[in-house]
Amino acid sequence: MRIMGVLAGAGMMLATGGCVSTVANVVTAPVKLAGKAVGGTVDMLTTSEKEKDEKYVRRMRKEDEREQKRLRECRKHPERCEV
């Protein structure tokens, strides 16, 4: 009888051990997902030096293109332009 009780107790401990790890995974899953979401948001909000430089170069190129276009228009129609 005593052996049956010990075996039953050991069996219960083994069975609940698996349940505990499953419960722990289920409980921590939302926290892990929230951490990834926050990390992704932070990553989206931060800009590296390379990205800043690329953005600056793009902006300068567009300004230069606009200026070149304005100069071409001034050459074609000088009466429309202010110097």
Side-chain angles (χ1 to χ4, degrees):
M1 271 316 248
R2 187 167 179 108
I3 294 176
M4 291 295 275
V6 171
L7 288 176
M12 291 293 282
M13 289 176 73
L14 288 174
T16 58
C19 292
V20 170
S21 68
T22 302
V23 169
N25 288 339
V26 170
V27 169
T28 59
V31 175
K32 289 178 184 175
L33 290 176
K36 286 184 181 182
V38 170
T41 303
V42 170
D43 189 43
M44 282 185 349
L45 296 177
T46 56
T47 307
S48 70
E49 285 298 315
K50 181 181 176 188
E51 290 170 325
K52 288 179 185 176
D53 291 342
E54 289 171 353
K55 186 176 181 180
Y56 175 77
V57 168
R58 261 185 259 122
R59 189 167 33 117
M60 290 295 114
R61 238 184 238 144
K62 284 188 180 200
E63 284 182 24
D64 188 47
E65 287 172 5
R66 274 189 241 119
E67 181 65 21
Q68 294 298 324
K69 183 176 179 178
R70 188 186 69 77
L71 289 173
R72 280 193 305 271
E73 288 296 316
C74 285
R75 280 190 219 115
K76 288 180 185 178
H77 308 286
E79 67 281 355
R80 295 184 193 171
C81 293
E82 297 176 18
V83 178

